Amino acid sequence: MKSWRVHAWGEPETMVLENIAEPLPAAGQVRIRNKACALNFFDILQIQGKYQVKPPFPFTPGAEAAGVVDAVGDGVTGLKIGDRVAAMTHGEGFAECSVAPVLSVFPIPEAMTFEEAAAMPIVYHTSYYALTHRTKLRMGETLLVHAGASGVGMSAIQIGKAVGAKTIATAGTEAKRQFAQAQGASHVIDYSDPGWVDRVKELTNGQGADVIYDPVGGDVFDASTKCVAPEGRILVIGFASGRIPTIAANRVLLKNISLIGVLWGAYVKAHPDYSGRVHAALMELYGLGMVRPQVGAKYAFDDLPHALRDLADRKVLGKAVVTI
């Protein structure tokens, strides 16, 4: 099979497309004949050697894919050869075939395309975990979603709307703001405008947002502490800006706010059955039309390094997907 391989730390363009042996599923695993794989920013960090998980060389990046089960290991139940599935591959996703633990492989409905399915696992599971487990976003609350045109931003807006929250999204260009609004944001704000904090307060009658979903960090986090409502919650999703922020504890005290870490991957590792329950909930929302992954860019398998470069350059709305 063909597989994109990393032989040394570098950039997406230094990956090599190679022919390697198809993997065999071990006990408790299934093998998937991939039809699509989705890209995440951490794939780039892993190729660069900047991610916390550093596999031995050579390795194949890629953490989510969709396709058809074509082999099952010993002890596998609930899935069979021929099933259409989405999977968290935990690496090895940028290949024509991947193996994954059965608890990380989920059946998908006939109405869902493989591109949609590949775009769903990580960002939608992360946002569902953040908004229903790490904090319980309630109907009528105001949710502020930063990077509203990103994959995680898209999923947070859709899930927030499904819960019944009033959602405000931020994004840096007009095209991205239009995209965020199309996902269900009630209002969109340009966070490159120094007055965006005042705009959030204006839209919330001076109170600020009840919940702030922040995958950006840096200056955006700093400013968010000024427009979170009393007793509000700031969800720390990540640091796409490149700067890990700090906050004076007196600000947390004086506003009675909560800072909540969202490390979805660690929680799933400690609670292996959790992903299946979340997938079932998301499929129910998908069936109701309340969540729908938006594939903002599709690429051929041979163009995968170019796809990662576009993602790194913030050129993708929603999710970038490679078809195989």
Side-chain angles (χ1 to χ4, degrees):
M1 70 172 187
K2 290 182 178 180
S3 178
W4 284 99
R5 307 271 274 173
V6 175
H7 289 266
W9 306 128
E11 296 297 328
E13 294 80 4
T14 64
M15 290 192 301
V16 180
L17 185 60
E18 297 179 339
N19 282 306
I20 64 172
E22 291 183 351
L24 294 174
Q29 293 182 330
V30 301
R31 186 175 69 197
I32 303 148
R33 185 74 52 181
N34 293 330
K35 302 295 184 182
C37 60
L39 312 184
N40 293 280
F41 192 78
F42 62 74
D43 296 323
I44 301 164
L45 297 178
Q46 191 170 63
I47 294 165
Q48 295 170 332
K50 298 177 181 178
Y51 193 56
Q52 56 260 39
V53 178
K54 294 180 174 62
F57 298 121
F59 68 89
T60 298
E64 53 188 349
V68 178
V69 174
D70 78 343
V72 297
D74 292 340
V76 170
T77 60
L79 290 172
K80 63 184 185 304
I81 292 172
D83 283 350
R84 302 172 77 251
V85 295
M88 301 171 191
T89 59
H90 309 285
E92 310 296 326
F94 297 164
E96 291 180 321
C97 286
S98 300
V99 295
V102 66
L103 290 176
S104 298
V105 182
F106 315 107
I108 59 173
E110 288 295 326
M112 179 178 279
T113 68
F114 288 118
E115 291 82 7
E116 284 182 319
M120 196 160 200
I122 289 176
V123 295
Y124 280 86
H125 280 239
T126 296
S127 292
Y128 193 89
Y129 170 65
L131 296 173
T132 70
H133 183 82
R134 293 300 291 134
T135 190
K136 287 182 168 53
L137 180 66
R138 296 182 289 271
M139 181 180 294
E141 288 192 309
T142 298
L143 168 68
L144 173 61
V145 177
H146 291 307
S150 66
V152 287
M154 165 189 71
S155 61
I157 292 169
Q158 293 179 7
I159 292 170
K161 184 177 180 180
V163 169
K166 172 187 174 182
T167 303
I168 303 169
T170 66
T173 69
E174 181 59 29
K176 290 181 177 181
R177 290 190 290 275
Q178 290 180 5
F179 177 87
Q181 193 160 35
Q183 307 317 306
S186 302
H187 302 280
V188 292
I189 299 174
D190 180 358
Y191 56 15
S192 65
D193 181 345
W196 72 262
V197 168
D198 292 332
R199 180 61 176 151
V200 172
K201 292 179 180 178
E202 179 185 336
L203 292 170
T204 57
N205 298 316
Q207 290 299 301
D210 298 299
V211 176
I212 299 180
Y213 184 101
D214 179 23
V216 180
D219 294 344
V220 168
F221 175 89
D222 295 342
S224 293
T225 64
K226 301 176 182 178
C227 61
V228 62
E231 299 187 44
R233 296 93 81 196
I234 300 178
L235 294 164
V236 180
I237 310 297
F239 313 106
S241 69
R243 179 172 72 84
I244 298 174
T246 59
I247 183 173
N250 66 322
R251 188 173 296 179
V252 178
L253 173 68
L254 293 173
K255 294 190 74 174
N256 280 315
I257 62 174
S258 299
L259 304 179
I260 301 174
V262 181
L263 191 57
W264 162 79
Y267 186 83
V268 170
K269 186 174 181 180
H271 304 83
D273 295 338
Y274 179 71
S275 291
R277 298 196 302 272
V278 171
H279 178 74
L282 289 171
M283 288 302 96
E284 183 176 351
L285 293 176
Y286 180 88
L288 294 170
M290 291 182 170
V291 301
R292 188 75 56 169
Q294 299 298 309
V295 177
K298 294 181 185 180
Y299 301 84
F301 189 54
D302 289 351
D303 290 334
L304 199 149
H306 174 63
L308 286 171
R309 179 55 55 198
D310 282 353
L311 184 65
D313 291 342
R314 308 294 199 271
K315 293 181 178 179
V316 177
L317 303 178
K319 287 284 283 187
V321 171
V322 169
T323 57
I324 303 173

